[in-house]
Amino acid sequence: MSDRYDPSTEGARMSFDGRMSYIDYLHLDPVLSAQKPLSQAHDEMLFIIQHQTSELWMRLVIHELTAARDTLLAGQMRPAFKMLARVARIFEQLNNAWDVLRTMTPSEYTMFRDALGESSGFQSQQYRMIEFMLGNRNRAMLKPHEHRPELADALRAELARPSLYDVALRALAAAGFDLPREVLERDPAIAHAENEAVTAAWTKVYRDTDTYWELYELAEKLVDLEDYFRRWRFNHVTTVERIIGFKRGTGGTSGISYLRKMLDVELFPELWHLRTAL
């Protein structure tokens, strides 16, 4: 007589003929068959899964940022707080993923690097969408996506919308803060430039948190998000340097030099710089 546990004795369904199963709901057949290494190198599977899972997490980031922006535009801050907190945690997850990729050595990467051709993370349309949504807007970055008109069109459509930070600044103005027209009526396709009036407004929020608690919480949610985003960029730099050194990227960028330039990009500059004056 077997003493092994049988879940069916407690009501667990064991037969799924004609019923939706876990595999069906998640469409795991196409997901798990999407890993198609082009070489015989053992570590190419790691490289593919690392980037595919990152793209899945980015898909969720876009979902959450879209909803957060919509709720902020509707004047509903508290639901947006939850979404922005989730985005920060997603970037924490993406940060942890670099630790797995760093188990691959330069010798192991060179065994399949040629198979990548000119493909590169630089060409990630979803990453570009996230940057655009957060306010790092640069029309030149549309070019790597022009070969896929539907992807380039989605990015152009995003450039026509206010960024997440633009929406946050509108919330500041709606609360009675006097922000200049060049901030509130700027062409949304142009990246926001640091503005003294914006810094002064956010500084007032931080100095009177009881009065402006929701704006204060919004500001901290944005800072938290950018904090994790910056860590992701930094970990990207160190991982690439550890694996390929100062070689050029497969997509033609300068590699480490390009990635280090990205470390200097500030998404919400006033929220960082006001801290010196507090």
Side-chain angles (χ1 to χ4, degrees):
M1 183 175 179
S2 173
D3 60 356
R4 291 188 176 182
Y5 171 60
D6 181 355
S8 66
T9 62
E10 296 181 0
R13 182 170 296 281
M14 306 296 277
S15 175
F16 290 90
D17 289 341
R19 296 177 180 273
M20 181 186 291
S21 71
Y22 176 81
I23 292 174
D24 300 326
Y25 176 72
L26 295 177
H27 297 277
L28 289 181
D29 289 331
V31 171
L32 298 178
S33 62
Q35 297 74 46
K36 302 183 187 300
L38 298 178
S39 76
Q40 298 301 311
H42 173 80
D43 290 85
E44 189 178 358
M45 183 64 82
L46 162 62
F47 189 84
I48 291 172
I49 290 176
Q50 159 80 18
H51 289 83
Q52 286 181 339
T53 53
S54 293
E55 290 291 332
L56 285 172
W57 282 119
M58 288 182 195
R59 175 70 183 86
L60 184 55
V61 168
I62 293 169
H63 175 72
E64 297 293 341
L65 288 178
T66 299
R69 178 168 56 186
D70 289 345
T71 56
L72 286 173
L73 281 169
Q76 301 172 22
M77 285 201 187
R78 293 195 175 278
F81 295 160
K82 175 65 177 293
M83 297 161 189
L84 294 176
R86 181 174 292 165
V87 172
R89 299 291 86 77
I90 293 169
F91 273 105
E92 182 178 21
Q93 182 76 21
L94 287 166
N95 270 313
N96 292 335
W98 291 120
D99 291 337
V100 182
L101 191 61
R102 280 195 287 262
T103 64
M104 182 172 61
T105 69
S107 300
E108 291 162 344
Y109 180 53
T110 56
M111 293 180 69
F112 66 88
R113 190 181 192 225
D114 288 345
L116 303 181
E118 294 181 315
S119 64
S120 165
F122 174 74
Q123 300 148 13
S124 169
Q125 189 262 4
Q126 289 201 123
Y127 173 74
R128 196 72 57 218
M129 180 66 77
I130 291 168
E131 281 203 317
F132 282 8
M133 293 182 80
L134 294 178
N136 185 20
R137 301 184 162 199
N138 182 351
R139 284 191 178 275
M141 292 306 182
L142 291 170
K143 294 177 183 177
H145 312 287
E146 295 287 3
H147 68 294
R148 292 282 301 275
E150 74 281 11
L151 299 183
D153 287 347
L155 291 171
R156 289 192 188 91
E158 174 56 35
L159 289 178
R161 303 183 187 104
S163 72
L164 178 68
Y165 193 46
D166 287 334
V167 173
L169 296 181
R170 290 182 185 184
L172 262 183
F177 290 94
D178 186 18
L179 300 184
R181 291 182 60 185
E182 62 265 25
V183 171
L184 297 176
E185 300 178 13
R186 187 190 75 260
D187 178 354
I190 299 173
H192 168 75
E194 186 174 5
N195 183 280
E196 289 184 4
V198 173
T199 302
W202 283 124
T203 301
K204 186 174 180 180
V205 168
Y206 273 76
R207 285 179 171 158
D208 190 0
T209 58
D210 288 342
T211 301
Y212 302 109
W213 184 265
E214 283 199 336
L215 287 169
Y216 172 59
E217 189 169 356
L218 173 60
E220 281 299 291
K221 287 290 186 290
L222 292 174
V223 169
D224 198 35
L225 190 164
E226 184 169 358
D227 190 348
Y228 280 100
F229 189 53
R230 286 185 182 189
R231 295 186 212 182
W232 184 84
R233 280 176 165 165
F234 178 78
N235 277 316
H236 189 184
V237 172
T238 55
T239 301
V240 171
E241 184 173 358
R242 175 170 176 162
I243 294 175
I244 70 168
F246 286 84
K247 295 186 183 75
R248 294 192 71 83
T250 49
T253 68
S254 57
I256 286 296
S257 297
Y258 166 76
L259 292 174
R260 283 183 174 170
K261 288 178 184 177
M262 295 300 99
L263 294 179
D264 294 330
V265 174
E266 292 180 316
L267 299 172
F268 318 127
E270 293 90 353
L271 292 179
W272 291 95
H273 298 175
L274 70 84
R275 284 156 161 73
T276 304
L278 284 179

